[in-house]
Amino acid sequence: MRDPRHVFLLLALLLSVMCGCASIPKGRAAIDSVEIVGAHGVEPGSVTDRLSTTASPKLFGLFRGLAVDYSIYDASALQRDLARVERYYRGRGFFEAHARVGRVIHTSADHVRIEIVVEEGPPVVNGSIVIEGTEDLPVDIARAVHAGAEQALPKGERFGEDAYAAAQVAVLRSLTDRGYAYAKGESDARVDLASHTVEYTFKLNAGIPAVYGDITFVGLDPDGAGPRPQEIDPEPLLFAMHMRAGRPYSSASIDAATQALLDLGVFSSVHIVPKLADPPQPIVPLVVEVEPTKLRAVRVGGGAEFDAILTDLHLLFGWEDHNLLGGLRSLAVEFKPGVAFYPTSTANLTPPTDFFPEERLRVQFRQPGFLEARTDAFIQPELNVYPLIVQSRQPRVPGYVEPKVSVGVDRRFGKRLFAKLLYNLQGELPFPFKGGPDHDIPTVLLSFPQVIAQLDFRDDTVHPHAGFAANLDLQVAGGPFGGTATDLRVQPEVQGYVPIARGVTFAVDVAFGALFPSNYGKSVQQPSLLYPTNPSNLDVGTMYFRGLFAGGPSSNRGYPVRGVAPHGYVGFLNPTTAASQIANPCATTDATCATPIGGFTQWEASAEVRFQISGPFGAALFCDAGDVSQYVLPSPGSLRFDYLHMSCGAGGRYDTPVGPIRLDVGYRIPGLQILGKDPANDPTFGAPPTILGVPLAVAFGIGEAF
């Protein structure tokens, strides 16, 4: 089973038994591929996405006819697709494009490959823009109208229907954003095939300036004039909208107010409708149509974790009130009691010898409209009790009582930028679960402010198919804030999504991390100090909670949680008394006894192809790489790009209202863990757990990995 081909063959066999194979109707042919020949100015994949003639889908990108039906060749459908191709090209500036079938090639008796030949011809480009109707407008507004059109239709760029439609919207928004609620317009685009240019004309009627009138809400009262009382007060809604009667009309402000009401978390939909009069009137009333969600809810459930490090079962009890004492204040309580089964794991398939109780209790209170309309304040205290299990063979298992509290504010700026500023106070108080007293295990107190920011240009936050997002996490611990650790930690991340076919997305994620400690970590910054000398207990105890780690369902899926990090022999997890050495085969030079300590410099990169199979079912193929080093930037070798920790694999997805449930299997590629070096010769690499002797890891999660 050490040969990875055996693993994939076994998976294919199991899938074929469980799912069965699709069949091809007698006398028909399945389509193996559809290729656009001659496409240069337009991406071929964007053309094939719009055709009804499509290639038969592949399960996991590998197997046709398994769990999903074949695409069947239809000559009449292909003829209609040729017209679609030409129409699509005209919409992208190629008005002289022609499409014809090149060849329908039989690869076997019941399989074909289709080639569609396209003669694009020269494209037409944007020419001059004439805007009529701005002569009587204020100079700054007239300039904004012209700038909106020119920005959407840059001169000399190839014509595009989408850009033309965006220009029509931009021109009118230049007026409606500046008080002209009744603005109307017509546009015309004339193509000159002799010069291959298109000339634009916009005819505008700005109408009269307007201000907001009365703002009324529809949908707040659950049963109209019935016996159930109206629970949501309009006052906090008006404050969040930041709109009042008499202010200048602005469609941009209406969009921002819509998002602000949705951010309150009490509405499933919000639609603000301006009541435009005929004939036009200078006062425009607004009707806010809302659909409230349940303001109070009780949640009861449970879950399990079974991975290379830990097996546990837990229950979940939750209660939330989104209108506590009125004013849309929110209070949520979540209690998760459970038990960890030790040492049972996917890497150690043995019955448990110990049962460690654990619990997580979290309370969150939010106050909307703190200091100003769009800023929320929150406080989130927690009390957690858990065992510190970081390897499958761990003679000593300390427990921690973790009191912590976060207090701060967050705000959305427009539709794309979200920022959070908070202060965290966290204690880590050890106690003995297994393996003796805890007098040598350090107590850690962390005190640090934190800034979290996200710039989001994704088309969908739950199922992104196009766009990108950039994230930043910045923390400053200790110093004037006190606590055990004094450091600076910064972690930027960029995610990108590219649609490559219908229902297929190529996703990439790149992340870096840097930790700059001032009063700890010296004993774990050099590999020579990790073996055979034990690093400082205080250094290691602090690094467990401040150091950088990788691995797990949202990181490198070929490794367990925290599995990618510098490893070392930790004294307080592996007692060195004579009696314990007799019972425990670990030695300070045995890599299987090394535990992840955490590092100071991190890089990660992931690439994934996501497939929509049928209904809620999907699949993904992925490769993850990255490293965490024991060197502090800008020390030489702190970013070790030859330490790849390369893992590739496949996974399944099942879509739910809260996001896809996913199960991924990652395989650590031999020879691509450390380039040119056997990991066994690096004492800091550790010994990643295996499943039945195969270097695999199973990752389970809710939501996409990134």
Side-chain angles (χ1 to χ4, degrees), residues 527 530 550 556 559 563-567 601-605 624-631 636-647 669 671-686:
L530 290 171
N556 191 321
Y559 287 81
V564 179
H567 285 58
T601 307
Q602 175 186 29
W603 70 269
E604 290 190 87
D624 301 328
D627 179 58
V628 180
S629 81
Q630 62 268 29
Y631 301 101
S638 52
L639 284 171
R640 306 182 302 185
F641 293 109
D642 54 337
Y643 280 62
L644 293 181
H645 296 90
M646 177 67 72
S647 303
I669 308 297
L672 294 181
Q673 301 308 296
I674 308 177
L675 294 180
K677 183 177 181 181
D678 186 348
N681 297 327
D682 187 331
T684 69
F685 192 87

Side-chain angles (χ1 to χ4, degrees), residues 367-498:
Q367 171 64 59
F370 179 72
L371 299 181
E372 64 93 31
R374 305 286 167 78
T375 301
D376 289 1
F378 63 88
I379 181 171
Q380 181 176 298
E382 296 185 37
L383 179 62
N384 306 316
V385 179
Y386 61 94
L388 181 63
I389 301 176
V390 293
Q391 64 175 156
S392 57
R393 295 174 61 191
Q394 190 172 311
R396 190 185 201 183
V397 179
Y400 277 93
V401 176
E402 181 185 67
K404 61 190 298 187
V405 64
S406 300
V407 58
V409 295
D410 57 38
R411 193 187 197 282
R412 186 180 300 276
F413 299 86
K415 293 180 63 177
R416 303 298 184 182
L417 178 61
F418 176 81
K420 179 186 292 187
L421 174 64
L422 61 157
Y423 169 74
N424 305 276
L425 184 63
Q426 175 179 337
E428 301 294 342
L429 314 176
F431 67 92
F433 252 143
K434 173 183 173 63
D438 60 356
H439 57 81
D440 58 341
I441 305 177
T443 296
V444 176
L445 177 65
L446 303 176
S447 175
F448 58 97
Q450 182 178 15
V451 175
I452 299 174
Q454 182 182 52
L455 186 63
D456 194 345
F457 283 88
R458 295 174 295 177
D459 61 341
D460 189 287
T461 57
V462 178
H463 303 96
H465 186 55
F468 73 94
N471 308 296
L472 176 66
D473 186 343
L474 176 65
Q475 303 176 16
V476 181
F481 307 104
T484 305
T486 298
D487 62 43
L488 169 67
R489 189 166 82 169
V490 57
Q491 293 176 278
E493 180 182 24
V494 177
Q495 303 160 346
Y497 308 88
V498 179

Side-chain angles (χ1 to χ4, degrees), residues 83-277:
R84 291 191 182 98
V85 171
E86 293 183 356
R87 176 67 186 86
Y88 182 78
Y89 264 90
R90 285 196 294 273
R92 270 76 194 154
F94 293 92
F95 284 83
E96 298 171 273
H98 296 285
R100 59 183 176 83
V101 176
R103 290 188 297 174
V104 178
I105 305 167
H106 281 267
T107 58
S108 67
D110 55 359
H111 285 264
V112 298
R113 179 167 58 88
I114 297 174
E115 290 182 354
I116 297 177
V117 178
V118 176
E119 298 172 356
E120 292 181 338
V124 299
V125 298
N126 297 330
S128 62
I129 301 175
V130 176
I131 300 179
E132 302 174 358
T134 61
E135 299 80 7
D136 297 329
L137 295 175
V139 174
D140 59 332
I141 295 179
R143 287 176 179 171
V145 172
H146 284 268
E150 292 168 359
Q151 193 172 26
L153 301 169
K155 191 170 184 177
E157 287 199 5
R158 194 180 74 208
F159 170 82
E161 282 185 345
D162 293 342
Y164 180 38
Q168 294 170 311
V169 173
V171 167
L172 287 180
R173 285 291 297 251
S174 299
L175 295 172
T176 59
D177 285 351
R178 293 166 174 80
Y180 292 88
Y182 295 92
K184 296 180 180 179
E186 298 178 353
S187 62
D188 183 44
R190 296 189 177 183
V191 177
D192 185 348
L193 292 180
S195 62
H196 292 98
T197 59
V198 56
E199 311 295 331
Y200 301 96
T201 301
F202 295 89
K203 298 180 180 180
L204 302 179
N205 179 4
I208 60 174
V211 298
Y212 298 128
D214 293 335
I215 301 175
T216 57
F217 292 88
V218 175
L220 293 181
D221 193 343
D223 57 354
R228 295 171 58 192
Q230 177 175 317
E231 295 188 81
I232 300 178
D233 186 354
E235 282 304 315
L237 304 181
L238 290 170
F239 185 69
M241 292 173 65
H242 198 53
M243 301 169 68
R244 297 189 182 279
R247 289 184 178 177
Y249 181 92
S250 170
S251 50
S253 295
I254 291 176
D255 291 344
T258 301
Q259 186 62 55
L261 293 178
L262 289 171
D263 288 342
L264 292 173
V266 297
F267 300 117
S268 59
S269 70
V270 175
H271 187 41
I272 301 178
V273 182
K275 293 299 181 180
L276 301 177

